[in-house]
Amino acid sequence: MAKYTRLEARQWAKENLHGLANVVIPSFTQNLTRLNEKGIRHDVQRNIELGFTGTLLVAETATTLEEYIEFTKIAVDEAKGNITIIHHAGFNTLEENIKAVKLAEEAGAELVLLSYPANFYPKESQEIYEYTKQFAESTNLGIILFPVPLWNFERLHPAAIDPKIIRQLLDDVPNIVAIKAEGGMPLIAGFTQCYQLFKDDVIVMTPLEKDAFAIGNLVPIQWMATSNYEMYGDVLPKLFNLMQEGKFEEVYEQYWKLQPARSTIGKFMASSDGAGLVNRMLWKYAAWLNGFNGGPLRQPTMKVNQTQMSAIRQALIKSGIEVTNDDDSQFFIGRNPEL
């Protein structure tokens, strides 16, 4: 259960959310009939080793609701309070998301990243407000509001969620604790506007490291969540600490070293624009290069091909990241294979 009440959620977040929260993509057995518990535990431990302070348990990987809650229980048990476990509210309907978040809260998740279903087609911004408020009232957990182009809300406001609706939500929903401000990407105005308007109410951040480590040299950023930061190994947690210490020259020196990997993976991610999905297999491969479990993913899944794998591996090496020497074929088996 939550360590705080809905009314205490924002204060808890401001006091406890620091550093970087990345993602864990579930691992499966070789026949893809069930979760691979060893692989999941391996990845949670790898996060702790690398210095992450939290992790999102990704839901967009063809897990059933029952499997996802099992995934949560395994991650919570392995984390033992050392990192914040974030529930991914990415299921099919409002009703299913309410059921899922209640179960995740019981299983020990501490926060929620709020997604919106693929079939949710609001005709006015007030419907976004109503969906979000109804979901939030079903849980004590703190909620990360997520304006981003993925939801097809730009037809209602270019910033994905109208700032006036965000203001209304913050006034009426006490357990919204953070804004993952990606509205209007690739522009940064979605972040800057939210920061200027709402930073005194909740944590406002951009999860995009390409922006955050530049912006964070100008304004305070206490927390970054959630993205595939593990693709760089332990570099970004260390870089975040340098930023917090005000060592800006060192931050920029390391920032530019990462450009080969940043641009290469950015190019491959951009190739799937319009799909409304993140290429989780590509993310999982980049994590595997840095010691994570890897392993097969269920259909339907976006794929990673050999051209992409070779380019990502070489770009990480060029960026100074130590990656595994294992052959790429081993990615599809994983480091902790279970039949």
Side-chain angles (χ1 to χ4, degrees), residues 5-279:
T5 67
R6 293 180 73 239
L7 295 177
E8 297 169 336
R10 288 185 191 171
Q11 187 62 35
W12 178 88
K14 288 182 178 180
E15 292 175 359
N16 290 277
L17 298 180
H18 300 273
L20 271 69
N22 72 327
V23 302
V24 167
I25 298 168
S27 292
F28 296 95
T29 57
Q30 290 298 292
N31 60 12
L32 295 170
T33 60
R34 56 189 174 84
L35 296 175
N36 178 342
E37 181 172 342
K38 290 181 181 178
I40 293 167
R41 290 184 180 276
H42 174 94
D43 285 352
V44 172
Q45 276 301 318
R46 186 65 177 149
N47 278 334
I48 295 170
E49 291 169 7
L50 294 176
F52 293 105
T53 59
T55 196
L56 173 73
L57 305 182
V58 175
E60 299 165 344
T61 50
T63 51
T64 65
L65 176 54
E66 291 74 18
E67 287 174 325
Y68 184 83
I69 299 306
E70 181 186 355
F71 177 29
T72 304
K73 290 177 179 178
I74 293 168
V76 168
D77 181 68
E78 189 65 28
K80 294 180 173 56
N82 290 307
I83 56 175
T84 300
I85 299 298
I86 305 170
H87 170 66
H88 192 182
F91 291 88
N92 294 304
T93 64
L94 174 59
E95 292 72 23
E96 188 176 21
N97 276 304
I98 288 174
K99 180 179 180 181
V101 76
K102 289 180 177 179
L103 292 170
E105 183 176 343
E106 291 176 5
E110 296 181 84
L111 283 173
V112 184
L113 177 65
L114 179 59
S115 297
Y116 295 90
N119 296 305
F120 177 54
Y121 190 87
K123 295 180 180 178
E124 57 183 13
S125 292
Q126 194 63 26
E127 294 178 46
I128 302 171
Y129 168 88
E130 295 296 341
Y131 181 105
T132 305
K133 186 171 185 289
Q134 190 173 345
F135 174 84
E137 289 175 345
S138 72
T139 182
N140 288 309
L141 294 180
I143 293 168
I144 306 166
L145 193 65
F146 189 14
V148 68
L150 294 171
W151 318 134
N152 188 28
F153 294 166
E154 283 79 6
R155 58 200 163 76
L156 302 175
H157 193 284
I161 301 179
D162 187 336
K164 293 178 182 177
I165 293 296
I166 296 178
R167 176 73 274 163
Q168 189 179 1
L169 283 166
L170 296 186
D171 289 344
D172 298 345
V173 182
N175 55 326
I176 293 177
V177 303
I179 303 174
K180 183 180 180 181
E182 295 186 57
M185 285 198 306
L187 305 177
I188 64 167
F191 166 77
T192 58
Q193 185 177 26
C194 281
Y195 189 88
Q196 289 177 305
L197 291 174
F198 310 125
K199 69 180 185 300
D200 294 331
D201 299 277
V202 296
I203 297 169
V204 179
M205 45 82 182
T206 171
L208 304 173
E209 61 84 20
K210 68 182 180 64
D211 295 333
F213 285 106
I215 294 168
N217 286 333
L218 301 174
V219 300
I221 294 179
Q222 76 169 66
W223 189 54
M224 290 166 55
T226 56
S227 193
N228 60 329
Y229 305 132
E230 66 280 352
M231 65 177 270
Y232 297 118
D234 65 354
V235 171
L236 294 189
K238 291 179 177 178
L239 195 58
F240 185 88
N241 291 338
L242 288 174
M243 183 174 69
Q244 297 300 96
E245 295 167 6
K247 297 179 179 179
F248 303 140
E249 291 184 5
E250 294 179 46
V251 170
Y252 279 120
E253 182 179 357
Q254 180 61 63
Y255 177 93
W256 292 118
K257 287 180 181 178
L258 299 177
Q259 187 61 17
R262 181 184 295 123
S263 61
T264 298
I265 292 185
K267 177 182 67 176
F268 291 141
M269 295 300 295
S271 69
S272 61
D273 277 357
L277 290 170
V278 173
N279 190 332

